Amino acid sequence: DVKVTQSSRYLVKRTGEKVFLECVQDMDHENMFWYRQDPGLGLRLIYFSYDVKMKEKGDIPEGYSVSREKKERFSLILESASTNQTSMYLCASRPGTGSSYEQYFGPGTRLTVT
Amino acid sequence: GENVEQHPSTLSVQEGDSAVIKCTYSDSASNYFPWYKQELGKGPQLIIDIRSNVGEKKDQRIAVTLNKTAKHFSLHITETQPEDSAVYFCAATYGNQFYFGTGTSLTVIP
């Protein structure tokens, strides 16, 4: 079974703090994604990565950065957390093109910025 | 980019009845359409998917239909059970990017 794990289920941070959200997948997937999920807005893509050290902006990258130094790990960084970044953050991974299209999601990290 | 609209946002059905959730998409290049179920406190999980060269797919009580001309696809759940209660998301994809609908909260009333 594919497993995508996220470092924290719940996180509370203060405005202005630098926040790291970690995601690890164990199936050697090339592609990894970070989404945020807000009521009424569905899942919105923040960043994705199709290879180590490669990254692409999604629909809402402002205020976020990412790092992928190893294939299995994809980190989301909030450089200076703000209250409007309070949300559920979901990480996902997917095999490279040519195989299954399915995205596998982690359990999510609920971040509260006060 | 792609725009996916999903309706209804909430749906309540009696146990044993059918539930239908509909999505429309805007980009005719989209070629893969998954449906995800998200239970409380968990990440979304794929329940069924369909590719653009297929019009319908069924897996036990769950089916998905795709109308490429009209650019819409639907999820059908028959003989609903309380454990079907969850939030359901549709998505349309082209290449690496998945575009999700806003979700439907389904409640099955015993």
Side-chain angles (χ1 to χ4, degrees):
Chain A
D1 266 359
V2 174
K3 194 158 187 180
V4 179
T5 56
Q6 296 183 227
S7 51
S8 304
R9 294 300 303 273
Y10 301 93
L11 211 51
V12 179
K13 295 291 182 182
R14 293 186 180 274
T15 302
E17 278 192 84
K18 190 169 186 176
V19 182
F20 293 85
L21 302 182
E22 304 285 339
C23 176
V24 177
Q25 50 96 2
D26 67 357
M27 283 302 291
D28 202 37
H29 286 171
E30 289 80 4
N31 305 289
M32 297 188 74
F33 307 81
W34 275 107
Y35 295 90
R36 65 176 281 176
Q37 181 177 18
D38 300 289
L41 297 178
L43 280 71
R44 293 180 293 166
L45 182 65
I46 304 171
Y47 268 96
F48 69 97
S49 168
Y50 54 88
D51 201 352
V52 175
K53 297 191 186 294
M54 306 302 289
K55 61 185 179 185
E56 293 281 347
K57 292 180 180 179
D59 298 318
I60 51 165
E62 297 79 18
Y64 304 95
S65 62
V66 290
S67 172
R68 194 166 180 202
E69 297 295 320
K70 293 185 178 181
K71 192 174 185 180
E72 68 270 19
R73 188 179 298 269
F74 193 33
S75 301
L76 180 69
I77 303 155
L78 287 65
E79 297 290 342
S80 177
S82 64
T83 54
N84 63 12
Q85 292 178 310
T86 291
S87 186
M88 170 70 86
Y89 290 87
L90 289 164
C91 176
S93 72
R94 189 179 74 81
T97 56
S99 57
S100 168
Y101 289 91
E102 180 178 353
Q103 278 200 9
Y104 298 84
F105 284 89
T109 295
R110 185 165 293 282
L111 172 68
T112 302
V113 182
T114 62
Chain B
E2 176 65 276
N3 180 43
V4 178
E5 294 191 359
Q6 183 172 346
H7 300 280
S9 56
T10 60
L11 181 60
S12 291
V13 299
Q14 292 288 332
E15 183 177 357
D17 286 351
S18 295
V20 180
I21 303 170
K22 298 183 179 182
C23 289
T24 61
Y25 61 99
S26 60
D27 191 342
S28 56
S30 291
N31 58 5
Y32 174 63
F33 306 91
W35 285 90
Y36 286 84
K37 176 183 180 182
Q38 186 177 25
E39 297 175 330
L40 203 60
K42 297 183 178 180
Q45 285 201 307
L46 180 75
I47 55 170
I48 196 166
D49 56 14
I50 191 167
R51 289 177 172 76
S52 58
N53 58 349
V54 175
E56 185 173 356
K57 184 176 178 181
K58 191 172 181 180
D59 183 3
Q60 298 183 346
R61 296 186 298 109
I62 294 173
V64 57
T65 59
L66 171 66
N67 183 327
K68 284 177 57 180
T69 303
K71 293 185 206 165
H72 67 70
F73 56 113
S74 300
L75 177 71
H76 305 254
I77 306 173
T78 58
E79 300 171 21
T80 53
Q81 300 167 3
E83 51 265 37
D84 294 329
S85 295
V87 178
Y88 292 82
F89 291 97
C90 63
T93 71
Y94 178 71
N96 236 343
Q97 289 225 34
F98 282 51
Y99 297 90
F100 288 86
T102 50
T104 296
S105 178
L106 173 65
T107 301
V108 179
I109 303 164

